[in-house]
């Protein structure tokens, strides 16, 4: 590809897209909506995937893949379009027949006829992807295929068909209905990117130092950008990906290195007593002894508290591993030394639960505990705030009500944050700022693989409770289908007969909450009247008032119900050791982390517990909502994988790892709010090795040249200050 030598000294980040040939005001307005304003933005709009010869099959071979239910791509020319009205639903069904040199293939769309009817021209060339199925006559067909236009009938686009045969690679770009309306489908993007790359890629500045580039054999940045869009071959593409990924990860780690350097310059203000009385009293009064993992973590914390710098520690441990007691013992060390402690939980339910647990534990220790959540009466709130201000309250448990203005402490020495990933850096920083360099302990019940912890909390030290209290029996998990339900009901009945209790859980997802709730209520009635008419069933869901919820829960605890039919409200905070069976309906719709949390509600006593997952994968076909064949297939495959994982392990860390692979880290940790810049191309789960290198290089750089003052590092500083400004600010307050 020819590039323009004159573009060398332009600032592409301020060059409006509107002036690029082929864009204009209409397209630029739509592009701006997805955040593309400048030429630079466009150059960083990476392909969502690539098409190359190796993925393409001939139509004549489709039957083979239909039997194996694997997704494939064909490249074919549009031959015929037609529509028929479905007799049952009276809806128009759209048929598209395409041909390649080996045969004809029919594609079917049951939805979207209005759009599809004018979407294709006879003779245009498409790449179509789907899992092939057989029609009634036994011929392969594509239902709702994903498609990418390769060549319109009378067009000057390069002849992809030909390019293809010589091993070329075609980039595919993400589009949307709004973008398509102004001609920016995948093909439209290819055209404007072709222009942008050929005219301006040379003006892209280098972001890394020459030393890094040559030591790690990276491509020049402009070269990498050209190749990510229009690679000449697979090697080149791979090299480009490595470069761009490394760069992202490097700057991310540089951010952590900076935060770390900042906290390490801080000096502890308050000293801890070496011999603490309160923690000892509590340990002696516990009905159990601490696990070795708990003891080890406590030693790590004590070492931190004795160091001249404030603690910044992340405490990880699976559900039920006993983090609360560790946090509480740490709190007591602080209180013993005359300091106040703030304990923040993500929801009111959790805050209340902690408050109750902590108050019970501390019955015989002279410590004043308060709770601060949203719904206090004004007087009560004023009293609490005064107690915090004058130091008479030692420990306050609360929600993010704690970070509000007006909450001030006399001597805040320790901040404990539960379920860190729901808060993010901003909350952490604000709460911290209420003390003078307080110690910080953040806890997460969502087990995070070590690699990810390092990335997400790269500025924290990590402790792991990797051992469960000894009295637990692993829960047995089984995967069943709708057809097996009578047997499952019989099993539940057996357990109830033996004096146990059970949960039946229904999915409740926000988008269709009303419909779901209705379904759950109806099922509850059916179960009570038709299946378990001789047993006592309770119903618990989120729309009940707090008092009603408490009542239902209390009755279940008192064994006035045998079976509790519930929505996911029981995910957290419920502890009924006599409940030993959990049946989860439509388990395919639940996330993996959620299933793990739910299953954690059983297995809390000495009896063997069971979790039975009822899966209905066809649900995804029935609720496709405009998704194409590949998306539906992908959803089903992921659901299968989630449930298989649940059956094969109860290890929260393994589950979290699979969850991350399936969902991607961005989905689990809202990146912006966790104080982490968004990653566009790197994946912290898949690119672990690269992450490791990036981390080493970034921390080394921060050691060698903490203010990035050398000429050599000027490109790094420029890019860092310009693009990571808001995160650097966060680092300063954090
Ligand atoms: P999580 O880590 O999920 O916050 P918790 O701190 O709520 O777990 O502990 C779960 C349960 O285990 C609590 O009832 C707690 O009292 C109990 N527990 C904690 N540590 C131990 C231990 N070492 N031995 C036995 N039970 C323990
Ligand atoms: Mg907990």
């Amino acid at each position: 590809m020819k590039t323009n030598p004159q573009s060398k000294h332009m600032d592409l980040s301020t060059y409006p897209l509107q002036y690029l040939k082929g864009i204009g005001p209409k397209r630029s307005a739509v592009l701006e909506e997805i955040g593309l304003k400048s030429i630079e933005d466009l150059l960083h709009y990476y392909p969502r995937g690539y098409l190359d010869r190796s993925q393409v099959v001939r139509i004549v071979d489709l039957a083979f893949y239909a039997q194996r239910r694997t997704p494939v791509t064909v490249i074919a020319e549009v031959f015929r379009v037609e529509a028929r009205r479905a007799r049952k639903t009276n809806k128009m069904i759209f048929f598209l027949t395409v041909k390649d040199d080996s045969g004809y293939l029919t594609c079917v769309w049951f939805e979207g006829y209005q759009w599809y009817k004018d979407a294709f021209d006879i003779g245009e060339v498409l790449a179509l992807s789907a899992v092939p199925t057989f029609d009634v006559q036994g011929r392969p067909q594509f239902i709702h295929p994903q498609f990418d236009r390769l060549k319109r009938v009378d067009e000057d686009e390069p002849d992809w068909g030909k390019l293809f045969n010589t091993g070329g690679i075609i980039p595919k770009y993400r589009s949307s209905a709004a973008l398509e309306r102004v001609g920016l489908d995948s093909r439209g993007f290819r055209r404007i990117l072709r222009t942008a790359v050929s005219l301006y890629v040379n003006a892209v500045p280098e972001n890394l130092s020459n030393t890094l580039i040559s030591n790690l054999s990276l491509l020049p940045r402009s070269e990498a950008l050209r190749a990510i869009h229009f690679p000449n071959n697979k090697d080149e593409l791979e090299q480009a990906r490595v470069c761009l990924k490394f760069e992202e990860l490097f700057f991310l780690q540089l951010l952590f290195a900076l935060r770390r350097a900042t906290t390490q310059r801080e000096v502890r203000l308050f000293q801890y007593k070496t011999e603490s009385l309160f923690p000892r009293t509590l340990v002696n009064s516990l009905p159990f002894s601490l696990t070795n993992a708990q003891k080890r973590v406590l030693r790590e914390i004590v070492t931190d508290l004795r160091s001249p710098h404030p603690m910044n520690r992340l405490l990880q441990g699976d559900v039920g591993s006993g983090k609360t007691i560790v946090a509480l013992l740490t709190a007591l060390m602080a209180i013993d030394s005359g300091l106040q402690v703030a304990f923040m939980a993500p929801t009111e339910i959790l805050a209340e639960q902690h408050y109750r647990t902590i108050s019970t534990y501390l019955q015989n220790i002279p410590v004043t505990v308060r709770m601060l959540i949203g719904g206090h009466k004004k007087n009560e709130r004023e009293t609490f705030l005064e107690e915090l201000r004058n130091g008479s309250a030692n420990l306050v448990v609360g929600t993010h009500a704690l970070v509000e203005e007006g909450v001030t402490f006399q001597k805040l020495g320790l901040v404990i944050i539960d379920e860190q990933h729901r808060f993010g850096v901003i909350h952490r920083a604000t709460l911290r700022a209420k003390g003078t360099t307080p110690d910080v302990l953040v806890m997460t019940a969502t087990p995070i693989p070590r690699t990810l912890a390092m990335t997400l909390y790269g500025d924290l030290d990590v402790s792991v409770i990797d051992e469960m209290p000894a009295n637990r029996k692993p829960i047995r998990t089984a995967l069943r289908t709708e057809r097996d339900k009578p047997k499952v009901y019989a099993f539940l009945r057996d357990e109830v007969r033996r004096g146990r209790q059970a949960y039946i859980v229904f999915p409740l997802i926000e988008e269709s909450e009303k419909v779901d709730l209705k379904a759950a209520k109806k099922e509850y009635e059916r179960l009570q009247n038709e299946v378990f008419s001789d047993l006592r069933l309770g119903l618990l869901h989120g729309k009940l008032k707090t008092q009603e919820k408490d009542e239902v829960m209390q009755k279940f605890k008192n064994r006035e119900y045998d079976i509790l039919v519930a929505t996911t409200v029981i995910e957290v905070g419920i502890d009924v050791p006599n409940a030993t069976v959990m049946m989860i309906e439509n388990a395919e719709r639940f996330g993996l982390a959620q299933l793990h949390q739910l299953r954690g509600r059983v297995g809390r006593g000495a009896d063997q517990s069971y979790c039975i997952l009822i899966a209905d994968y066809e649900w995804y076909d029935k609720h496709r909502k405009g998704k194409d064949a590949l998306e539906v297939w992908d959803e089903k495959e992921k659901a299968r994988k989630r449930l298989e994982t649940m059956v094969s392990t109860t290890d929260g860390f393994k589950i979290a790892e699979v969850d991350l692979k399936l969902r991607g880290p961005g989905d689990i940790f809202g990146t912006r709010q966790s104080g982490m810049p968004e990653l566009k191309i790197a994946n912290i789960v898949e690119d672990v090795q690269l992450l490791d290198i990036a981390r080493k290089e970034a921390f080394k750089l921060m050691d060698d040249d903490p203010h990035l003052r050398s000429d050599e590092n000027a490109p790094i500083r420029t890019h860092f200050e310009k693009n990571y400004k808001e995160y650097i600010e966060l680092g300063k307050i954090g």
Side-chain angles (χ1 to χ4, degrees):
M1 180 182 292
K2 276 202 202 110
T3 53
N4 174 9
Q6 280 151 19
S7 59
K8 203 73 198 169
H9 302 290
M10 296 174 59
D11 183 357
L12 300 179
S13 68
T14 55
Y15 193 127
L17 259 186
Q18 181 175 344
Y19 304 128
L20 185 73
K21 188 171 144 256
I23 292 195
K26 225 169 104 193
R27 283 182 166 184
S28 69
V30 184
L31 287 168
E32 189 159 343
E33 272 167 37
I34 57 162
L36 305 185
K37 293 182 201 148
S38 65
I39 304 267
E40 185 177 277
D41 296 336
L42 181 65
L43 289 174
H44 290 97
Y45 192 71
Y46 301 141
R48 71 174 154 85
Y50 301 85
L51 202 56
D52 74 43
R53 186 81 230 168
S54 67
Q55 300 152 17
V56 178
V57 306
R58 297 169 77 219
I59 289 174
V60 70
D61 294 325
L62 283 180
F64 174 85
Y65 294 98
Q67 272 159 8
R68 276 160 193 73
R69 295 214 257 152
T70 44
V72 289
T73 300
V74 301
I75 291 197
E77 197 176 289
V78 173
F79 176 72
R80 185 170 59 214
V81 296
E82 58 186 317
R84 261 176 259 148
R85 197 173 283 283
R87 233 177 288 143
K88 256 200 210 146
T89 58
N90 205 30
K91 251 170 105 174
M92 291 302 277
I93 305 176
F94 181 75
F95 296 88
L96 173 77
T97 307
V98 296
K99 63 165 189 174
D100 71 2
D101 61 357
S102 74
Y104 294 82
L105 165 70
T106 300
C107 306
V108 189
W109 278 271
F110 295 104
E111 291 156 29
Y113 164 75
Q114 277 306 326
W115 188 84
Y116 287 107
K117 72 181 175 31
D118 304 317
F120 303 103
D121 293 330
I122 306 299
E124 76 169 304
V125 181
L126 305 173
L128 298 137
S129 309
V131 181
T133 49
F134 294 105
D135 68 11
V136 281
Q137 272 118 24
R139 288 174 309 209
Q141 63 177 2
F142 276 4
I143 311 268
H144 291 233
Q146 209 170 63
F147 67 91
D148 199 25
R149 290 180 209 282
L150 293 186
K151 192 170 183 286
R152 289 262 190 189
V153 183
D154 47 353
E155 219 173 36
D156 56 352
E157 266 234 290
D159 191 341
W160 294 115
K162 233 190 240 161
L163 176 83
F164 224 56
N165 291 325
T166 60
I169 297 173
I170 302 173
K172 295 197 280 188
Y173 294 91
R174 207 167 307 257
S175 182
S176 68
L179 286 163
E180 274 180 17
R181 242 173 270 130
V182 293
L184 291 174
D185 54 8
S186 185
R187 181 185 121 278
F189 269 109
R190 273 197 299 271
R191 301 183 78 179
I192 59 173
L193 268 154
R194 206 152 253 287
T195 311
V197 167
S198 67
L199 290 176
Y200 301 111
V201 86
N202 279 347
V204 170
E206 208 52 73
N207 292 340
L208 298 174
S209 61
N210 287 330
T211 319
L212 274 176
I213 295 176
S214 70
N215 284 357
L216 300 172
S217 321
L218 300 172
L219 290 176
R221 196 173 147 70
S222 54
E223 201 30 42
L225 276 178
R226 191 219 21 99
I228 201 77
H229 291 291
F230 301 106
N232 288 315
N233 52 55
K234 279 191 171 168
D235 286 346
E236 205 181 81
L237 176 59
E238 186 48 32
Q239 248 189 314
R241 291 170 65 89
V242 167
C243 283
L244 298 172
K245 283 176 176 188
F246 173 80
E247 190 192 299
E248 268 187 356
L249 295 169
F250 174 78
F251 281 102
L252 178 70
Q253 292 299 328
L254 196 58
L255 202 57
F256 286 133
L258 178 72
R259 280 185 195 161
R260 168 65 73 118
T262 313
T263 49
Q264 275 177 352
R265 277 196 295 273
E266 287 179 345
V267 177
R268 168 185 305 290
L269 213 61
F270 308 121
Q271 303 306 321
Y272 280 75
K273 280 197 209 160
T274 40
E275 194 48 41
S276 322
L277 180 68
F278 292 165
R280 193 156 305 279
T281 315
L282 176 56
V283 170
N284 290 339
S285 74
L286 289 176
F288 50 78
S289 49
L290 297 176
T291 61
N292 286 329
Q294 285 169 319
K295 286 184 199 157
R296 189 191 64 235
V297 168
L298 277 163
R299 276 198 300 275
E300 288 166 353
I301 290 173
V302 169
T303 309
D304 282 356
L305 297 181
R306 289 189 183 151
S307 102
H309 307 292
M311 165 168 81
N312 273 295
R313 188 167 286 279
L314 174 73
L315 173 55
Q316 290 191 335
D318 207 347
V319 205
S321 63
K323 294 182 293 294
T324 316
I325 196 75
V326 171
L328 190 54
L329 287 166
T330 310
L332 286 177
M333 292 179 219
I335 296 169
D336 220 6
S337 308
L339 305 173
Q340 287 174 294
V341 180
F343 192 140
M344 185 161 68
T347 64
E348 294 196 356
I349 297 180
L350 277 178
E352 279 174 33
Q353 194 190 312
H354 279 316
Y355 177 71
R356 238 176 271 154
T357 318
I358 290 174
S359 304
T360 318
Y361 275 132
L362 297 186
Q363 263 166 15
N364 303 317
I365 300 175
V367 167
T368 308
V369 187
R370 292 287 176 255
M371 179 167 73
L372 200 63
I373 54 178
H376 292 293
K377 294 201 192 79
K378 205 161 174 255
N379 292 348
E380 195 179 42
R381 187 181 149 83
E382 282 310 315
T383 316
F384 287 178
L385 291 183
E386 178 54 30
E387 286 175 325
L388 293 178
R389 206 164 20 227
N390 67 26
S392 58
N394 307 107
L395 171 61
V396 59
V397 181
T399 54
H400 42 258
L402 286 174
V403 303
E404 282 165 18
E405 262 174 68
V407 182
T408 53
F409 294 83
Q410 193 215 17
K411 215 176 175 188
L412 179 62
L414 172 67
V415 166
I416 299 172
I417 300 176
D418 199 13
E419 289 283 358
Q420 156 74 8
H421 73 277
R422 299 205 203 178
F423 284 116
V425 175
I426 302 167
H427 282 119
R428 204 207 302 169
T430 322
L431 189 52
R432 252 192 115 221
K434 292 184 184 287
T436 316
T437 64
D439 293 294
V440 178
L441 180 67
V442 298
M443 307 195 285
T444 174
T446 308
I448 306 167
R450 244 199 142 86
T451 54
L452 184 60
M454 186 176 91
T455 321
L456 272 181
Y457 312 118
D459 51 341
L460 300 177
D461 296 306
V462 178
S463 287
V464 186
I465 305 187
D466 50 7
E467 179 188 358
M468 283 289 178
N471 59 352
R472 310 275 162 86
K473 263 194 199 140
I475 301 160
R476 286 195 203 148
T477 304
L479 184 54
R480 298 286 180 265
T481 65
E482 290 289 312
R483 260 181 299 150
D484 304 318
K485 266 158 104 174
K487 272 193 224 151
V488 178
Y489 292 146
F491 179 72
L492 257 66
R493 184 183 291 285
D494 269 358
E495 283 288 304
V496 170
R497 200 170 291 144
R498 293 172 36 198
R500 304 281 91 83
Q501 290 163 280
Y503 298 99
I504 300 181
V505 183
F506 285 91
L508 193 61
I509 47 176
E510 266 155 49
E511 46 185 306
S512 55
E513 208 170 317
K514 266 193 195 149
V515 184
D516 284 341
L517 193 54
K518 230 170 118 186
K521 280 184 187 160
K522 224 172 120 191
E523 256 308 280
Y524 161 73
E525 272 155 31
R526 187 187 73 87
L527 288 167
Q528 177 70 86
N529 298 331
E530 294 168 27
V531 185
F532 298 116
S533 53
D534 52 330
L535 302 181
R536 299 158 305 170
L537 270 62
L539 175 66
L540 187 72
H541 59 78
K543 286 275 139 47
L544 294 176
K545 294 201 188 80
T546 312
Q547 200 191 333
E548 294 170 317
K549 270 189 237 166
D550 282 349
E551 229 165 81
V552 175
M553 268 327 294
Q554 209 50 51
K555 277 189 168 172
F556 189 58
K557 263 190 186 163
N558 298 343
R559 291 210 201 178
E560 290 170 48
Y561 293 133
D562 303 301
I563 297 175
L564 186 64
V565 178
T567 59
T568 47
V569 288
I570 60 160
E571 198 178 326
V572 284
I574 285 181
D575 187 21
V576 182
N578 191 51
T580 54
V581 190
M582 172 167 287
M583 167 178 176
I584 303 181
E585 295 264 10
N586 273 103
E588 76 284 345
R589 289 168 64 186
F590 291 88
L592 197 43
Q594 202 177 19
L595 287 171
H596 180 62
Q597 293 289 332
L598 277 172
R599 183 168 60 179
R601 299 306 115 213
V602 294
R604 313 196 128 235
D607 300 293
Q608 177 63 53
S609 287
Y610 306 89
C611 176
I612 303 152
L613 307 164
I614 310 287
D616 172 20
Y617 299 111
E618 305 311 311
W619 186 85
Y620 285 99
D621 294 307
K622 289 179 218 141
H623 296 80
R624 62 162 67 228
K625 286 190 210 134
K627 287 174 188 142
D628 64 43
L630 285 191
E631 286 168 296
V632 175
W633 181 80
D634 190 51
E635 282 184 342
K636 273 205 248 182
E637 287 305 299
K638 283 182 173 165
R640 251 183 255 281
K641 184 84 195 156
R642 285 198 293 273
L643 298 184
E644 280 163 14
T645 306
M646 284 297 291
V647 173
S648 67
T649 183
T650 52
D651 179 339
F653 281 88
K654 276 194 198 136
I655 289 175
E657 216 148 312
V658 177
D659 198 25
L660 270 168
K661 285 210 176 107
L662 294 178
R663 282 206 284 166
D667 224 32
I668 300 182
F669 308 92
T671 46
R672 177 64 245 282
Q673 79 111 26
S674 68
M676 190 172 97
E678 189 190 356
L679 295 173
K680 284 164 82 161
I681 184 165
N683 178 315
I684 42 190
V685 182
E686 283 160 17
D687 302 320
V688 186
Q689 275 177 324
L690 216 46
L691 177 66
D692 219 31
I693 302 172
R695 183 175 177 83
K696 288 203 184 93
E697 293 293 346
F699 276 72
K700 184 168 169 298
L701 178 66
M702 201 42 80
D703 268 354
D704 296 348
D705 185 7
H707 303 284
L708 305 176
R709 286 209 180 103
S710 75
D711 286 349
E712 159 79 13
N713 293 326
I716 298 180
R717 190 180 59 224
T718 310
H719 182 72
F720 195 46
E721 283 179 348
K722 192 168 158 196
N723 294 282
Y724 292 79
K725 195 162 173 262
E726 50 183 321
Y727 303 103
I728 296 172
E729 289 303 313
L730 268 177
K732 281 187 186 142
I733 51 166

